[in-house]
Amino acid sequence: MLETRRNGRMLAPWTYTSEELCELEIDHIFRHQWILAGHISELTQTGDYLTFDLAKERAVLVRDESGEIHAFHNVCRHRGSRVAPDRQGNCGHVLRCPFHGWTYQLNGTLKSVPRPQGFPELKKDHNALVPIDLEIWNGFIFICFEGAQGRSVANQFGVISGKITPYQLEEMVPWGAEYDEVVDYNWKFFHDVDNEGYHVPVAHPALQELYGRDYCDSYLGNIPMTTGVVDDHPASSWSVARYKSLLPRQAHLPEENQRLWLYFGLFPNTVIYFYPEKAGFYMSLPQGAATTRVISREYRLPGENRELAAVRYLSGRIDQITGREDHDLVRRLQEAAHTSVFPMNNLSDLEDGVLQFHQQLKALVPVMSLEASPAPGTLADVNTTLLNSSS
Ligand code: FES
Ligand SMILES: [Fe+2]
């Protein structure tokens, strides 16, 4: 993928500060792409539901009596209330809107309406919850608000399936609390930091001690893959030293995965990762040009033992340290985007992932290729013109 460096240019600073562009990104990227919304282990019983908000859109995922998982717009057909108000829960055998009590079967059809004589014209058949395209891949549930139009998750990410099969992701159960925080930077800067390992030796001393000697960024197809093998060298960080010495062998994992930390970038906004003792994901969800919601959840195989619990605690501490360090790095990029001297196109070969990400974005929203922002109010039109001229 190094041709990206030779041919490509980075995104200009205005793309990180424009509210108008942020709306375009949501419309043209997030609403059209498969977005990871949860894991099947969060919906094990009939009536278990999980909600997921993306900018102005809201979804509810629910498991029905036959075991099938559905996704709907979390918008009541009466006057628009959320039918599932909480992040997660169990609704029994119906989704009942908390506003006036319209109830929906778990397959989305409208079941009953209080005081139906007040709606002489109401056609129940025409008032089912509006479905959202959904696909389950290796236990992860993906949704696509605008409709996938034949594009499947399995096709898009299939090239990495062989690498993650040994981890038995479909068998995993949630572990620990969900991380859900709103941060004050652009969602793309979150990935610009995450998409390269050039900064690891300097910015992440603990991670460097853990696997820095072996760290490698590469691609499987066009999917960015990062690997680091936990070595046996002494470490000054208490968590890293303990993790290295305690990490037990796992019978279900091949030899090369026994001490491997493995990450994949799923365009546009998610990283899934696999350590010997757990798996998880983290993602960015834009809420504005400089406001982003960051969500992370983790999973483990059922069956607990003290050794694994201990190493999960330790890797959690290392992740926390790394997360705090990255948070500071991203905030400094956001500050820089507002200065008059934001540097561009000074990237090392080791930062190729940054350019690859930018090129994928420009292909979908070509106005992002411009060095300066179009006049206010014209962004969408300019983008449409560029899209038409390239097709
Ligand atoms: S808005 Fe849902 S029942 Fe009225
Ligand atoms: Fe980092």
Side-chain angles (χ1 to χ4, degrees):
M1 285 283 170
L2 276 181
E3 66 273 15
T4 52
R5 176 168 174 252
R6 314 245 143 78
N7 302 329
R9 295 179 66 77
M10 293 174 70
L11 293 174
W14 73 269
T15 64
Y16 297 90
T17 59
S18 163
E19 294 294 345
E20 225 177 313
L21 178 66
C22 186
E23 284 186 22
L24 217 57
E25 289 171 333
I26 290 162
D27 279 353
H28 288 246
I29 301 172
F30 281 82
R31 292 172 53 84
H32 288 265
Q33 296 291 317
W34 285 109
I35 301 293
L36 178 54
H39 185 266
I40 51 173
S41 61
E42 281 140 359
L43 304 165
T44 57
Q45 308 297 318
T46 296
D48 281 355
Y49 71 84
L50 188 63
T51 62
F52 183 85
D53 293 1
L54 170 64
K56 293 169 190 159
E57 298 286 14
R58 348 170 198 161
V60 54
L61 319 181
V62 63
R63 187 182 283 272
D64 73 13
E65 288 85 351
S66 71
E68 189 177 348
I69 296 174
H70 303 269
F72 306 109
H73 287 267
N74 189 10
V75 179
C76 179
R77 297 303 303 276
H78 178 218
R79 285 176 54 198
S81 168
R82 289 172 184 261
V83 290
D86 301 324
R87 171 79 169 122
Q88 192 166 6
N90 185 286
C91 63
H93 290 275
V94 290
L95 281 160
R96 184 169 186 273
C97 179
F99 196 172
H100 309 92
W102 284 30
T103 57
Y104 301 87
Q105 317 256 35
L106 301 182
N107 65 5
T109 55
L110 179 59
K111 182 173 187 226
S112 66
V113 170
R115 304 188 199 184
Q117 59 278 18
F119 297 95
E121 306 287 316
L122 182 72
K123 292 189 171 59
K124 277 198 195 157
D125 295 356
H126 293 181
N127 283 281
L129 292 174
V130 180
I132 299 172
D133 279 1
L134 172 149
E135 184 174 332
I136 297 170
W137 176 78
N138 282 295
F140 279 140
I141 307 168
F142 289 79
I143 59 175
C144 183
F145 280 94
E146 277 292 332
Q149 291 156 358
R151 293 169 300 122
S152 84
V153 177
N155 262 346
Q156 188 173 342
F157 303 131
V159 66
I160 64 173
S161 274
K163 291 278 184 195
I164 66 179
T165 302
Y167 293 95
Q168 304 173 7
L169 190 52
E170 289 177 347
E171 310 302 319
M172 287 191 172
V173 295
W175 178 73
E178 177 184 40
Y179 174 87
D180 184 347
E181 192 168 335
V182 175
V183 292
D184 54 356
Y185 38 72
N186 185 277
W187 72 281
K188 298 186 293 297
F189 274 142
F190 179 81
H191 299 287
D192 285 354
V193 167
D194 204 59
N195 281 336
E196 53 93 351
Y198 181 43
H199 71 283
V200 169
V202 173
H204 298 312
L207 221 47
Q208 178 67 15
E209 284 193 317
L210 184 76
Y211 59 47
R213 293 168 187 84
D214 182 77
Y215 181 98
C216 179
D217 284 327
S218 60
Y219 295 93
L220 275 185
N222 68 344
I223 311 276
M225 174 173 77
T226 297
T227 56
V229 175
V230 175
D231 63 37
D232 294 323
H233 288 77
S236 60
S237 155
W238 180 85
S239 299
V240 173
R242 300 287 292 165
Y243 182 85
K244 286 184 177 189
S245 65
L246 287 179
L247 183 60
R249 286 190 60 77
Q250 300 248 48
H252 67 285
L253 290 179
E255 197 54 40
E256 71 260 30
N257 298 67
Q258 288 294 336
R259 294 176 78 80
L260 179 68
W261 284 30
L262 173 65
Y263 312 75
F264 296 101
L266 306 186
F267 184 84
N269 70 330
T270 300
V271 171
I272 58 174
Y273 55 89
F274 302 86
Y275 304 173
E277 70 282 3
K278 69 179 181 183
F281 70 85
Y282 51 87
M283 69 164 66
S284 69
L285 292 165
Q287 297 194 327
T291 313
T292 299
R293 188 170 161 215
V294 176
I295 300 177
S296 171
R297 279 193 167 188
E298 297 197 319
Y299 308 90
R300 65 169 174 83
L301 284 172
E304 188 58 293
N305 79 44
R306 297 227 321 260
E307 254 181 326
L308 279 177
V311 293
R312 262 200 307 279
Y313 168 76
L314 293 166
S315 58
R317 280 181 57 118
I318 298 166
D319 287 339
Q320 262 179 18
I321 295 166
T322 309
R324 278 199 297 270
E325 290 163 345
D326 277 332
H327 179 75
D328 288 343
L329 300 178
V330 183
R331 293 192 69 185
R332 286 177 204 137
L333 290 189
Q334 185 71 40
E335 286 168 18
H338 292 275
T339 70
S340 56
V341 291
F342 184 78
M344 286 174 59
N345 303 312
N346 257 344
L347 296 177
S348 146
D349 285 353
L350 296 171
E351 296 166 282
D352 188 63
V354 177
L355 276 184
Q356 197 239 18
F357 176 55
H358 291 190
Q359 292 202 338
Q360 285 179 288
L361 295 170
K362 289 174 184 177
L364 295 173
V365 184
V367 73
M368 296 170 88
S369 307
L370 302 182
E371 296 291 308
S373 171
T378 67
L379 216 71
D381 289 344
V382 173
N383 191 61
T384 303
T385 304
L386 290 170
L387 270 175
N388 290 339
S389 67
S390 67
S391 63

